[in-house]
Amino acid sequence: MTLYFLNFVLLIIGLYALVVKRHIVKKILGVAIMEYAVNLFLILLGFRKSGIAPILTEDMDLATFIHTAVDPLPQALVLTSIVIGLGTLALMVAMAIRLYERYGTFDMDEINRLRG
Amino acid sequence: MDVVFLLHLLLVFMIIGAFITVEIKNMLSAVISIGAVGFTLSMAFLFLGAPDIAITQVIVEILSLILLIRATVNVDNVAIEEKGESVFHNRTALIFVGIILVFAWFAFQSLAPFGEPLMRVSDYYLNNGLIMVGATNFVTSVILDFRAYDTFGEAMVLFVSISGAFAILRRWKREQHKDFLRIDREH
């Protein structure tokens, strides 16, 4: 239970950076921290005490393997989610670089003022 | 050492790293600090019995560090000075964070306890994966066979986001457009 709570604290730190900070790159870092927290939470949900990785080797028995392996389903979903996180991070960084070239600053309030 | 105790240590280290990332003034230091958080996350995946994800996380972390350093280097990498009015914003945000944390503590009581997953769907995959797919790595059999349509859709999302990044960062089209404008003005 405390692991879930610590994980949630990590998510909240990312949310705080996203809401309060004015630097665009700080906001992007906040989104990245939230991504880490969500991925880790899904993996924690599928963990089993003294479990092994869901990979079958030759010296294992299938019947005992089923009762000791951790949950493979969240791992499969998180695996693609991590790669998508890289794609969205690339998109956000590209937008930040363009905004810097256009306005000469990373400050969100300053960009809003210059635009208006 | 107990795995659960080790996970607590890793998570506390990640929280400290994330806090430094959010509050430090120098942007390059913030980016390096989030790299430390990501590699610690990869270690946590390794101890949670997910070696595939640990490897993927290391590779993705290196690439995202390169991207973020590209965004912060060559520009003024000092954080923006906080204005006086944002103290009120900070306090309001902290109060709401506290309320959310209290509610989350009660919400986590209703989850399944740590270490005993439900595995209603995964039991089917573990029982029949070897016969139906033939792969000994069950994560791979879920990705590429049982849930191949999900993987297809996620690959589509990845393609769209990467092509969006390219469309934003390309230069030749804009310069061409500028040339047209100049020609119009000259005539």
Side-chain angles (χ1 to χ4, degrees):
Chain A
M1 208 59 70
T2 48
L3 273 176
Y4 292 158
F5 189 73
L6 286 175
N7 201 346
F8 197 78
V9 170
L10 192 65
L11 182 98
I12 287 293
I13 289 175
L15 187 67
Y16 176 80
L18 183 62
V19 171
V20 170
K21 292 293 164 183
R22 285 161 56 205
H23 200 292
I24 290 182
V25 180
K26 276 271 167 79
K27 283 179 190 285
I28 294 174
L29 294 180
V31 174
I33 291 170
M34 285 171 77
E35 255 175 38
Y36 292 158
V38 170
N39 289 339
L40 184 59
F41 181 65
L42 289 176
I43 299 294
L44 281 174
L45 278 179
F47 183 66
R48 175 178 277 173
K49 283 268 172 61
S50 66
I52 56 170
I55 299 170
L56 195 63
T57 52
E58 281 182 19
D59 54 338
M60 281 182 203
D61 179 26
L62 187 63
T64 54
F65 171 75
I66 286 169
H67 295 292
T68 49
V70 300
D71 198 344
L73 182 57
Q75 295 193 15
L77 297 181
V78 165
L79 193 63
T80 43
S81 148
I82 288 174
V83 182
I84 287 175
L86 178 65
T88 52
L89 188 85
L91 187 62
M92 287 188 289
V93 167
M95 283 180 183
I97 290 171
R98 269 283 170 258
L99 278 174
Y100 188 82
E101 286 180 2
R102 178 81 174 74
Y103 294 104
T105 178
F106 274 132
D107 190 343
M108 276 309 280
D109 292 355
E110 190 73 13
I111 289 170
N112 271 333
R113 199 178 60 78
L114 288 174
R115 195 171 54 89
Chain B
M1 198 186 288
D2 189 17
V3 175
V4 178
F5 178 66
L6 202 63
L7 284 173
H8 277 91
L9 279 186
L10 288 176
L11 256 170
V12 168
F13 183 76
M14 281 171 69
I15 288 171
I16 293 170
F19 189 75
I20 292 171
T21 303
V22 172
E23 287 302 330
I24 203 165
K25 291 283 177 221
N26 192 333
M27 287 312 294
L28 201 57
S29 308
V31 169
I32 288 166
S33 170
I34 205 172
V37 177
F39 287 120
T40 317
L41 179 69
S42 152
M43 276 173 68
F45 284 150
L46 206 56
F47 285 111
L48 283 166
D52 307 306
I53 305 180
I55 295 166
T56 316
Q57 175 67 36
V58 167
I59 295 167
V60 164
E61 190 58 43
I62 291 168
L63 288 176
S64 61
L65 268 182
I66 293 170
L67 278 173
L68 285 169
I69 287 174
R70 168 66 185 84
T72 52
V73 85
N74 286 336
V75 298
D76 50 341
N77 57 358
V78 180
I80 293 148
E81 295 290 317
E82 299 293 333
K83 276 187 284 187
E85 64 194 70
S86 72
V87 175
F88 174 70
H89 292 165
N90 279 346
R91 275 185 199 153
T92 322
L94 283 177
I95 289 168
F96 275 105
V97 161
I99 293 171
I100 290 172
L101 282 179
V102 170
F103 276 103
W105 176 256
F106 290 113
F108 285 144
Q109 310 291 330
S110 63
L111 279 177
F114 180 71
E116 297 158 26
L118 288 175
M119 296 184 75
R120 284 188 195 133
V121 186
S122 305
D123 268 339
Y124 177 77
Y125 296 151
L126 285 176
N127 277 313
N128 302 326
L130 199 62
I131 304 156
M132 290 170 72
V133 182
T136 51
N137 188 345
F138 285 83
V139 177
T140 322
S141 71
V142 172
I143 288 180
L144 294 178
D145 202 295
F146 287 114
R147 294 195 172 232
Y149 277 126
D150 282 354
T151 311
F152 177 65
E154 281 162 357
M156 198 73 81
V157 173
L158 182 67
F159 175 73
V160 167
S161 64
I162 293 291
S163 55
F166 270 111
I168 290 172
L169 278 179
R170 70 186 168 171
R171 281 180 191 283
W172 56 273
K173 187 79 178 190
R174 188 171 299 134
E175 279 159 12
Q176 212 176 27
H177 188 64
K178 217 179 278 174
D179 285 347
F180 278 131
L181 284 180
R182 190 167 46 79
I183 290 164
D184 280 349
R185 223 173 287 136
E186 281 171 1
H187 289 294

